[in-house]
Amino acid sequence: MPVKTVNRQQSQSPAQQLQMQQQRDVETGLYPTIPPERRSPPSRPQTLRQDTVDMEEIPLNQTNGSQEPEDRRKMREIFDKHDSDRDGMINTHELKELISNGYCRDIPAYIAAQILKRADQDNDGHLDFEEFYTMSLHHKWMIRNLLTRYCRYVVPPPKPLEGDEPDGAYEKQMSICPPPLTMVLFSIIEIIMFLVDVIHFQDDPNHQDRIGESTSGPAATLFIYNPYKRYEGWRFVSYMFVHVGIMHLMMNLIIQIFLGIALELVHHWWRVALVYLAGVLAGSMGTSLTSPRIFLAGASGGVYALITAHIATIIMNYSEMEYAIVQLLAFLLFCFTDLGTSVYRHLTDQYDQIGYVAHLSGAVAGLLVGIGVLRNLEVRRWERILWWVAVIVYFALMTTGIIIHVFVPDYFPKQEYN
């Protein structure tokens, strides 16, 4: 058999031998590296092969030839990972998520849109894989994760683009199913109780000039916190249904609906209800301990609990929220402004009847209970410690208040039983 092979090769012309060798190379895919045993005999002219082979098929650099498929494979993995809707395209929000995984945290969506526009060669508003891969070759931040350099090339516009949506992890948790109606229901009950007393005194000439300001109506008499009827335990919470005047009612309704719905969209109804009721209970408990003979009406304890609950959720979800620092500063500014106004009014108005202790107690309860029950999207070690501190402090304060009420009755006014 070997003799016959030699004879066949000797009978073929050099051109035929070259053609057969090239065919074998194509079939085995060995253009870049042809093993020695498959190469043509040394007697074959070397220039003939180079003249007949398309040089574009042979990488000029063997290292680059083996590296390019690996780069494309890595880029394909990144592309598929962030193509969340699996449509073979990367849109603005998917590109922003990709960018946010690097050092350029909380980049607004309109900056991602500008980056997308720079790399979108066919101007269809999306990046296909080839455009994505080309961008990765031109901008090595894709591979090296040095996103900060690239962000500096993009100047943010003065206003967000139309259609820009909040897409922080916290904001993505917002849901209207079930509908956020908890604070709306509380508000409706408070309005009904207020109207019951208003209708009761509508024909009384002594109350014509002070609509809704009487605390002797049927609803107020039943629900107000009365220090002389502390044995009626529901009054520690039910006083939130009693309001003195229309302005008192409207201010509480506006704030609690506005703040309560915002919390309920993320944290669900039962957590918001717990925070609100904890603030109401803490308000009456604190007032009873510091001013044992003071009557109490209004939902301000619950309202202040909602305010500080927003501060609690900002603390626990700071890294997952967009513009968290702006929200935190806004709530802190409101709290300190209200505190300063309250202190000034208390010092200058001798007829001031606002229950500041109820406000303060509700605010403390809202912060502690908010840390304890509101959702924490990504729990960190220091947040676990803070959670335990908040829960222990809240229950310690409430337990102390209950013990004083039960075992130190002489501190409080004598109860009236009728």
Side-chain angles (χ1 to χ4, degrees):
M1 294 296 292
V3 175
K4 292 182 180 180
T5 303
V6 171
N7 292 336
R8 183 182 297 114
Q9 290 178 350
Q10 291 176 351
S11 63
Q12 293 176 340
S13 66
Q16 291 176 333
Q17 294 179 10
L18 177 61
Q19 185 177 3
M20 292 180 63
Q21 181 66 35
Q22 291 177 0
Q23 181 65 29
R24 288 196 298 270
D25 291 344
V26 172
E27 292 175 351
T28 57
L30 297 177
Y31 266 114
T33 55
I34 302 174
E37 65 273 16
R38 301 294 302 276
R39 294 176 183 172
S40 58
S43 60
R44 181 170 60 100
Q46 183 68 19
T47 55
L48 294 178
R49 175 173 176 80
Q50 294 183 1
D51 290 340
T52 56
V53 175
D54 186 358
M55 294 300 296
E56 293 181 358
E57 298 290 336
I58 303 178
L60 299 179
N61 188 318
Q62 296 294 331
T63 302
N64 291 339
S66 60
Q67 183 68 24
E68 182 178 354
E70 180 68 16
D71 289 345
R72 288 183 64 89
R73 185 185 64 80
K74 291 181 179 179
M75 288 301 102
R76 173 65 71 178
E77 292 178 357
I78 297 175
F79 184 87
D80 292 340
K81 176 182 177 181
H82 294 278
D83 181 16
S84 57
D85 52 9
R86 298 295 183 266
D87 62 348
M89 298 287 184
I90 293 287
N91 58 31
T92 301
H93 295 289
E94 292 169 338
L95 181 62
K96 179 186 179 300
E97 181 180 354
L98 172 62
I99 296 173
S100 297
N101 287 338
Y103 299 126
C104 195
R105 302 290 298 176
D106 296 330
I107 178 173
Y110 55 80
I111 293 184
Q114 290 194 16
I115 297 176
L116 179 66
K117 184 177 180 180
R118 287 170 178 262
D120 186 12
Q121 298 175 358
D122 54 7
N123 296 320
D124 62 350
H126 298 78
L127 294 183
D128 57 23
F129 176 71
E130 291 302 327
E131 292 173 329
F132 183 84
Y133 180 65
T134 301
M135 183 170 62
S136 73
L137 295 178
H138 292 170
H139 306 287
K140 292 301 181 181
W141 55 268
M142 276 282 189
I143 303 173
R144 300 174 184 173
N145 210 22
L146 299 179
L147 304 181
T148 306
R149 295 181 181 178
Y150 194 86
C151 292
R152 290 175 182 171
Y153 294 145
V154 182
V155 180
K159 295 182 180 180
L161 300 179
E162 292 185 3
D164 187 23
E165 299 176 355
D167 49 359
Y170 180 86
E171 288 77 5
K172 286 183 178 179
Q173 299 299 316
M174 292 184 177
S175 173
I176 59 173
C177 185
L181 299 177
T182 302
M183 297 315 304
V184 175
L185 294 177
F186 277 129
S187 300
I188 291 175
I189 297 175
E190 292 168 8
I191 293 174
I192 292 175
M193 295 298 105
F194 182 80
L195 292 177
V196 168
D197 288 347
V198 169
I199 295 173
H200 179 77
F201 290 110
Q202 64 179 348
D203 297 327
D204 190 340
N206 296 325
H207 294 84
Q208 293 296 323
D209 298 332
R210 298 182 299 122
I211 298 178
E213 295 184 5
S214 175
T215 57
S216 58
T221 302
L222 180 62
F223 295 128
I224 196 172
Y225 173 74
N226 186 340
Y228 299 94
K229 295 185 177 182
R230 289 182 296 104
Y231 61 89
E232 297 177 343
W234 69 80
R235 294 180 182 271
F236 282 90
V237 175
S238 64
Y239 76 94
M240 71 180 186
F241 298 126
V242 181
H243 288 83
V244 183
I246 295 179
M247 288 302 299
H248 185 206
L249 174 65
M250 294 304 298
M251 288 298 296
N252 282 346
L253 293 183
I254 293 173
I255 297 176
Q256 73 186 26
I257 291 176
F258 179 75
L259 298 181
I261 289 178
L263 283 176
E264 195 171 348
L265 288 172
V266 176
H267 302 280
H268 306 307
W269 69 271
W270 63 271
R271 293 186 178 92
V272 178
L274 279 178
V275 169
Y276 184 74
L277 294 176
V280 171
L281 179 59
S284 59
M285 187 74 70
T287 301
S288 180
L289 292 173
T290 57
S291 304
R293 289 172 172 79
I294 294 295
F295 287 74
L296 197 61
S300 296
V303 170
Y304 275 82
L306 294 177
I307 295 173
T308 52
H310 275 274
I311 297 177
T313 192
I314 292 173
I315 294 173
M316 303 299 282
N317 297 288
Y318 186 87
S319 299
E320 291 74 42
M321 299 178 71
E322 288 197 341
Y323 314 113
I325 187 63
V326 177
Q327 298 182 54
L328 181 61
L329 291 177
F331 281 106
L332 290 177
L333 178 63
F334 176 84
C335 291
F336 283 113
T337 301
D338 183 78
L339 177 62
T341 304
S342 300
V343 172
Y344 174 80
R345 186 183 301 162
H346 182 71
L347 295 177
T348 58
D349 187 0
Q350 59 179 338
Y351 301 104
D352 182 30
Q353 297 181 342
I354 297 177
Y356 299 110
V357 175
H359 294 185
L360 179 60
S361 300
V364 172
L367 181 64
L368 297 177
V369 176
I371 292 175
V373 304
L374 295 181
R375 296 176 63 190
N376 186 357
L377 302 185
E378 184 177 348
V379 181
R380 300 169 180 83
R381 185 174 183 275
W382 68 269
E383 292 173 341
R384 294 183 184 274
I385 298 174
L386 181 61
W387 185 90
W388 279 108
V389 171
V391 171
I392 292 173
V393 170
Y394 175 75
F395 280 105
L397 292 175
M398 294 304 297
T399 303
T400 302
I402 294 173
I403 291 175
I404 294 176
H405 277 81
V406 174
F407 295 102
V408 191
D410 295 338
Y411 176 75
F412 304 95
K414 187 178 181 180
Q415 299 297 282
E416 298 177 354
Y417 300 92
N418 49 24

